[in-house]
DNA sequence: CGAATCCATTTGTACGACAATATAGTTTTA
DNA sequence: TAAAACTATATTGTCGTACAAATGGATTCG
C-alpha cells in the first residue's frame, strides 16, 4: 500500500493537481508558475503544504525553482518519465497511441534481454519461482487468476536476471501498461493462448540457454503485440 | 545547470544526508526514523525544512510516513533506482562492482535496441545530428573534445529512436556511468579506438538497416566493455 | 479476561515573521 | 546619451509556533 491514491492529504492532492497541469500541457516548459503565496491562495492551501508539494514535483523533474525568479516548468527531457506518478499523469491527460507505443517498445526491449540474462544468471530458487508461476498459469481457471499468475511469471523472470535496476524499471512499465490493458483488452476469451510461449521461456531458462530464452520471450511479446492490435488497437 | 549540487539549500542538504544514510545502509528497510521534531533537532534544521526534505525522499520511494507511526524506510524494490540522486547515493556509499555491472548491462541492452529503432524511425535531421557528432569525434584532437562528441553521438542515436522514455532512461544511466568512468578509465591513450564502430553505427542508421545498426552498436558496447576491463577492471 | 474508552504522541496543516537574493527600475556618472 | 552603480521590491528560503487529525497503547469497565 504505497501512500499514493485515495489519501486526502492536502499536499498529495496538490502534487496531483500540479502534476496533471504540467504533464497535461496547461503549463508549457519555460512557463513560470505563480508565486507561492498566490498559488497557495488559488488552491486554497497553506504555503507550507504547497511548498512540500512543489518540492515533490521538483524531485520528479517537472519544475525548477530559484529565488526570486520563481518556479519554472522544465523541459520535457528532464521529466523523469520513469516515475510512476509521471506516467500516471501522462495516461490521465494524454494517453496517446504514441505514448503507449513507447511503453510497449520498452517492454519489448527489456523482456527478451531479461530472459537471456536470467538464463545465464538464475539460481535454483529463482527457477523454481518461475516454474511455480508457470504452473499457476496452467492451472488458472478464470482470467483474473491467469493475469495474476502471468504477472508473477514475468516478475519472476525479471528477478532471475539478477539486475535490480532492470526489475525496478520493468515494474514501473508493467504497472503503467497494466492500467491500460485493463481498460482495453477485455474482449478476447482465449486468455491462455500464450501458455506455450511461457513454457518455452521457462524451459530455455531451465536449460540455461540464453539465445533460446531471448527468442522465446521475443516471440511471446511479438504475439502479445499482435493480439493487442486485434483487440485493443495499439499502434 | 540542474538545481542539484553546490547549493547550500538546507533542505537539499538534508535530502542528501538522509538519502546517503538510507541508501548507504545505515538505516535498514523497515527501520523507523526518529520523529520529525527529534530529527530536526539532530540535524539542526527547522521542522519545515526537514519535512520538505522528507517529502522529496518519499517521492524517491525511500521512505513512507504515516501519522503517529512515523516514517519508515521502505523495501529496496520500492526505491526508484532510476532516479539520478538515488544512483548517485549508491555510487557515493557502495559503488560495488555488482552495481556498476548492472548499469553497464542496462546500457548494453538499451543502446543496440535504440540503434535498431533509430534505423527504422530516424528522420533526416536526426541523421544529420548523428553525422555531425561523428565528424566532431573524427576531428577531435584531445580526449575531452572526443568525450564530448562521443556523448553527443550516443545522445543523437537515442534521440533518433524517437522514444522519449528510452532517451530519458539512457540519459540517467549514461550520466551515472560517466561519473564513474571519469575516475577509473583515464589511463589509455588511444581514445579514438572506437571510431570505426561509430561509423558503422552511423552508416547502418543512414541505410535504415535495423539489424546492421543493432549489430554495430552491439560490437561497440562489447568493445567498450573489453576496453574497460583492461583499464578499469569492471566485472 | 475481553472490549470499549481515553490519552499521549506524532504527523498534517496553517499562519506569521524575517533573511537572503535576484530582478527591475532609478540614479549617478563618464 | 549611454553605461555603470545603486536602490527598491518582490519572491523564495528558513524558522518558529500553534492546533487539528489520526493512531497506537494504556486504562478502565463489564
Amino acid at each position: 500500500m504505497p501512500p499514493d491514491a485515495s489519501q486526502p492529504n492536502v499536499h498529495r492532492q496538490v502534487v496531483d493537481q500540479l502534476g496533471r497541469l504540467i504533464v497535461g500541457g496547461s503549463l508549457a516548459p519555460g512557463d513560470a508558475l505563480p508565486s507561492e503565496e498566490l498559488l497557495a491562495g488559488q488552491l486554497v492551501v497553506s504555503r507550507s503544504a504547497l511548498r512540500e508539494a512543489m518540492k515533490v514535483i521538483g524531485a520528479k523533474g517537472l519544475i525548477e525553482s530559484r529565488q526570486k525568479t520563481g518556479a519554472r516548468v522544465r523541459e520535457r527531457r528532464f521529466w523523469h518519465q520513469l516515475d510512476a506518478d509521471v506516467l500516471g499523469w501522462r495516461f490521465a491527460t494524454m494517453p496517446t497511441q504514441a505514448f503507449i507505443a513507447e511503453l510497449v517498445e520498452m517492454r519489448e526491449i527489456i523482456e527478451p534481454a531479461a530472459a537471456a540474462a536470467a538464463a545465464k544468471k538464475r539460481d535454483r530458487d529463482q527457477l523454481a519461482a518461475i516454474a511455480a508461476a508457470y504452473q499457476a498459469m496452467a492451472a488458472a481457471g478464470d482470467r483474473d487468476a491467469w493475469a495474476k499468475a502471468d504477472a508473477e511469471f514475468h516478475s519472476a523472470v525479471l528477478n532471475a536476471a539478477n539486475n535490480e535496476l532492470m526489475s525496478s524499471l520493468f515494474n514501473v512499465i508493467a504497472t503503467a501498461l497494466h492500467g491500460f490493458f485493463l481498460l482495453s483488452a477485455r474482449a478476447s476469451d482465449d486468455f491462455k493462448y500464450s501458455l506455450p510461449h511461457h513454457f518455452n521461456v521457462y524451459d530455455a531458462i531451465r536449460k540455461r540457454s540464453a539465445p533460446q530464452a531471448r527468442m522465446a520471450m521475443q516471440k511471446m511479446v511479438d504475439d502479445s503485440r499482435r493480439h493487442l492490435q486485434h483487440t485493443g488497437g495499439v499502434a
Side-chain angles (χ1 to χ4, degrees), chain A:
Chain A
M1 47 198 66
D4 42 24
S6 77
Q7 288 208 20
N9 281 11
V10 170
H11 68 258
R12 182 67 217 177
Q13 286 179 308
V14 174
V15 165
D16 268 5
Q17 288 186 53
L18 290 179
R20 256 192 281 271
L21 271 179
I22 296 173
V23 175
S26 302
L27 275 64
D31 283 2
L33 272 66
S35 77
E36 293 183 348
E37 200 174 5
L38 212 160
L39 193 51
Q42 289 179 355
L43 300 177
V44 201
V45 297
S46 70
R47 222 189 115 197
S48 324
L50 174 68
R51 276 184 60 81
E52 288 176 8
M54 286 180 65
K55 289 301 162 209
V56 172
I57 293 285
K60 295 178 187 302
L62 300 191
I63 64 174
E64 170 187 29
S65 66
R66 286 154 58 174
Q67 286 213 175
K68 166 65 189 173
T69 310
R72 306 179 77 86
V73 179
R74 300 185 78 186
E75 297 170 42
R76 292 179 56 185
R77 74 165 183 279
F78 288 116
W79 303 359
H80 307 154
Q81 305 185 354
L82 313 141
D83 181 275
D85 284 328
V86 178
L87 290 178
W89 294 328
R90 286 194 71 170
F91 263 116
T93 55
M94 43 174 288
T96 62
Q97 287 206 349
F99 171 54
I100 295 163
E102 286 195 5
L103 280 169
V104 171
E105 188 176 32
M106 290 293 286
R107 184 208 160 193
E108 290 175 348
I109 289 169
I110 293 172
E111 288 220 85
K120 275 187 268 185
K121 299 192 284 186
R122 59 94 178 162
D123 64 27
R124 184 188 313 230
D125 292 342
Q126 290 163 341
L127 179 66
I130 297 174
Y134 171 74
Q135 279 164 5
M137 291 178 72
D142 59 299
R143 198 197 321 277
D144 285 343
W146 192 82
K148 190 160 171 288
D150 185 37
E152 195 60 46
F153 182 90
H154 290 264
S155 194
V157 171
L158 261 294
N159 184 54
N162 284 298
N163 185 324
E164 290 186 19
L165 263 58
M166 216 190 295
S167 296
S168 179
L169 172 63
F170 176 74
N171 223 37
V172 173
I173 293 173
T175 304
L177 281 175
H178 190 63
F180 170 68
F181 291 159
L182 277 185
L183 296 176
S184 80
R186 274 262 179 223
S188 84
D189 242 356
D190 56 336
F191 55 85
K192 277 193 179 179
Y193 73 95
S194 63
L195 194 57
H197 287 320
H198 284 81
F199 177 79
N200 291 340
V201 170
Y202 156 70
D203 198 47
I205 293 177
R206 183 184 63 77
K207 291 190 298 190
R208 296 195 176 281
S209 165
Q212 212 168 318
R214 167 178 275 117
M215 272 178 43
M217 183 63 91
Q218 187 78 53
K219 273 190 187 164
M220 190 154 99
V221 297
D222 285 350
D223 240 46
S224 164
R225 177 212 286 266
R226 226 173 293 129
H227 208 258
L228 249 198
Q229 282 173 334
H230 284 191
T231 62
V234 175

